[in-house]
């Protein structure tokens, strides 16, 4: 995130590179940086003749280079943006010759999502030398909560730890999805507001009491009454709580609990780092560790594998998802 801020600040200050190559598994910052350049370098009057957007699947490196070599009209610069540039991965090496001697009056931008260039290749080294190469790396689950808080702080909001954990739990590590949901909240909530679990429940549709996060917590605590209430709620709201997702998240919980059993250093910081979880959840693993010995955890993992197979219709065509969820809890608690 610091590098993203540096790139945008440099562009605002007029320190503009002739080539920007944004790449990586996490598309959020690739899109954001591309969008920033698209909106920031040229004025609206200049864009008509001097800004071009191409798409990887509809163009070639030769066509891109040909456009990049043009001179701007009635402006100091032209901007050529190549979106979905990963579609050009097989021919990207052909960019090397242009990158050796880029047109100084052109800003050439590549949005190369979900992939990265081989850093050993000459084309990558030339792009780094004469332009800027930025890799947007996927965040681990335990990093997303902090990212979320920093982004909201910069926009004049705060968020409670549980609310952040709920978003990460249900939206995963996809920053674009999380950002879209935050945008919805910001339309409704005033600046300076601290986002709570209730806000998430009322405006995003994630129940603060009946969700997989709370189910895993109840299972870890061996709170059978609460666990059965939650799966009863899931059965009544199957579209929002599909069994495959529920079983998968409970399965990952017990796999991580198996890892937890094997840790010598069970400090909060180390557990969060090794299990790649939000530190907020560490106490759930501490509780489950006391309630489920390693042998029992191994048996539960095998049970959940079996439930997963049945949930996909193998050997259990007439069994309802609710029955499978009940079977899951019976085998976990007994």
């Amino acid at each position: 995130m610091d590098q993203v801020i540096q790139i945008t600040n440099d562009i605002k200050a007029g320190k503009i590179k002739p080539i920007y190559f944004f790449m990586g598994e996490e598309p959020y910052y690739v899109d954001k940086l591309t969008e920033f350049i698209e909106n920031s370098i040229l004025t609206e009057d200049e864009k008509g003749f001097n800004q071009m957007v191409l798409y990887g699947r509809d163009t070639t490196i030769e066509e891109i280079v040909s456009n990049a070599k043009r001179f701007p009209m009635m402006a100091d610069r032209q901007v050529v943006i190549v979106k979905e540039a990963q579609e050009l991965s097989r021919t990207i090496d052909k960019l090397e010759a242009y990158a050796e001697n880029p047109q100084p009056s052109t800003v050439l931008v590549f949005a190369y999502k979900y992939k990265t260039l081989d850093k050993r290749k000459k084309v990558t080294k030339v792009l780094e030398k004469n332009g800027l190469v930025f890799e947007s790396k996927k965040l681990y689950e335990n990093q997303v909560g902090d990212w979320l808080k920093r982004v909201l702080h910069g926009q004049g909001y705060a968020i409670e730890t549980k609310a952040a954990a709920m978003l990460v739990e249900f939206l995963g590590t996809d920053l674009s999805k999380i950002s879209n949901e935050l945008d919805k909240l910001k339309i409704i909530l005033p600046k300076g507001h601290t986002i709570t679990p209730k806000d998430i429940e009322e405006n995003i549709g994630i129940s603060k009491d009946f969700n997989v996060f709370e189910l895993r917590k109840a299972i870890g605590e061996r709170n059978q009454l609460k666990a059965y209430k939650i799966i009863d709620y899931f059965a009544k709201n199957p579209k929002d709580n599909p069994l495959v997702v529920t079983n998968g998240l409970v399965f990952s919980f017990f796999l991580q609990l198996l890892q937890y059993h094997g840790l010598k250093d069970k400090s909060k910081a180390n557990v969060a780092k090794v299990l790649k979880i939000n530190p907020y959840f560490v106490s759930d693993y501490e509780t489950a560790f006391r309630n489920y010995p390693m042998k029992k955890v191994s048996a539960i993992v095998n049970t959940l594998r079996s439930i997963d197979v049945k949930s996909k219709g193998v050997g259990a065509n007439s069994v309802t998802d609710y029955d499978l969820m009940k079977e899951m809890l019976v085998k976990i608690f007994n």
Side-chain angles (χ1 to χ4, degrees):
M1 191 169 176
D2 291 341
Q3 191 180 356
V4 172
I5 293 169
Q6 185 64 54
I7 292 168
T8 56
N9 285 343
D10 283 349
I11 291 172
K12 288 175 185 176
K15 300 174 186 175
I16 299 171
K17 302 283 187 181
I19 307 177
Y20 289 92
F21 203 99
F22 304 133
M23 63 181 187
E25 290 183 25
E26 176 48 68
Y28 178 79
Y29 282 119
V30 174
D31 287 335
K32 285 294 179 184
L33 286 168
T34 303
E35 183 184 322
F36 177 76
I37 288 178
E38 191 172 359
N39 295 331
S40 303
I41 290 182
L42 299 179
T43 66
E44 289 303 317
D45 290 338
E46 292 171 333
K47 285 178 184 178
F49 291 108
N50 298 291
Q51 185 153 291
M52 177 180 294
V53 177
L54 304 170
Y55 289 85
R57 69 179 60 188
D58 301 322
T59 190
T60 64
I61 295 296
E62 290 82 1
E63 184 181 355
I64 293 164
V65 169
S66 175
N67 282 296
K69 285 182 174 179
R70 290 190 307 121
F71 289 97
M73 293 179 63
M74 297 176 289
D76 295 329
R77 291 186 179 89
Q78 70 156 344
V79 176
V80 178
I81 297 170
V82 186
K83 296 185 177 181
E84 307 298 335
Q86 68 275 9
E87 299 288 341
L88 296 163
S89 59
R90 292 181 182 178
T91 57
I92 202 70
D93 287 349
K94 292 181 181 180
L95 184 61
E96 184 186 312
Y98 177 81
E100 289 273 17
N101 187 27
Q103 182 82 357
S105 58
T106 294
V107 181
L108 178 58
V109 183
F110 287 86
Y112 194 88
K113 298 193 287 189
Y114 314 110
K115 294 183 178 182
T116 58
L117 293 179
D118 187 335
K119 293 178 182 178
R120 298 167 296 179
K121 285 193 170 186
K122 189 177 178 183
V123 65
T124 312
K125 293 174 181 176
V126 174
L127 284 167
E128 287 175 334
K129 179 184 175 185
N130 295 328
L132 184 144
V133 177
F134 167 76
E135 182 179 353
S136 183
K137 294 181 179 179
K138 202 85 174 168
L139 296 185
Y140 292 120
E141 185 180 323
N142 62 319
Q143 297 172 312
V144 177
D146 289 337
W147 170 85
L148 210 163
K149 289 177 181 178
R150 287 200 306 273
V151 167
L152 283 171
H153 178 74
Q155 297 168 346
Y157 292 84
I159 187 168
E160 289 184 10
T161 302
K162 183 177 177 180
M166 285 171 65
L167 282 173
V168 177
E169 183 76 11
F170 284 88
L171 299 174
T173 58
D174 187 324
L175 302 188
S176 297
K177 274 187 184 177
I178 295 172
S179 180
N180 287 339
E181 295 302 332
L182 292 180
D183 287 343
K184 293 177 189 176
L185 287 174
K186 285 183 287 182
I187 292 170
I188 300 162
L189 304 173
K191 275 201 172 185
H193 183 82
T194 297
I195 298 168
T196 66
K198 188 178 179 183
D199 294 325
I200 302 294
E201 180 176 42
E202 291 178 350
N203 300 296
I204 296 179
I206 302 169
S207 171
K208 63 183 175 66
D209 297 314
F210 297 97
N211 55 61
V212 177
F213 161 62
E214 292 296 336
L215 176 62
R216 298 199 318 185
K217 188 179 178 71
I219 290 171
E221 295 170 347
R222 297 191 69 85
N223 186 337
Q224 296 189 41
L225 179 60
K226 184 176 179 182
Y228 278 102
K229 280 184 177 179
I230 292 171
I231 67 160
D232 186 59
Y233 175 86
F234 286 1
K236 293 172 182 173
N237 300 274
K239 288 185 179 179
D240 296 329
N241 305 279
L243 174 59
V244 172
V245 175
T246 300
N247 188 73
L249 290 170
V250 175
F251 178 75
S252 68
F253 175 76
F254 278 100
L255 273 184
Q256 290 167 321
L257 184 57
L258 209 54
Q259 278 184 283
Y260 184 93
H261 268 281
L263 291 177
K264 290 182 179 178
D265 178 2
K266 289 184 171 65
S267 65
K268 188 173 184 177
N270 189 59
V271 170
K273 180 182 176 184
V274 174
L275 300 190
K276 297 180 174 61
I277 60 172
N278 189 309
Y280 179 80
F281 291 111
V282 171
S283 61
D284 294 349
Y285 291 84
E286 292 170 348
T287 302
F289 170 74
R290 293 191 294 270
N291 287 328
Y292 297 93
M294 185 178 281
K295 188 175 179 180
K296 177 63 176 174
V297 175
S298 297
I300 290 170
V301 166
N302 288 330
T303 292
L304 293 169
R305 283 199 178 104
S306 173
I307 298 290
D308 179 59
V309 171
K310 290 179 182 178
S311 72
K312 292 167 182 171
V314 180
N317 291 333
S318 60
V319 181
T320 67
D321 285 358
Y322 183 46
D323 287 336
L324 287 173
M325 282 192 283
K326 285 193 291 185
E327 180 185 339
M328 175 184 75
L329 292 187
V330 167
K331 290 185 176 178
I332 286 173
F333 288 132
N334 296 321

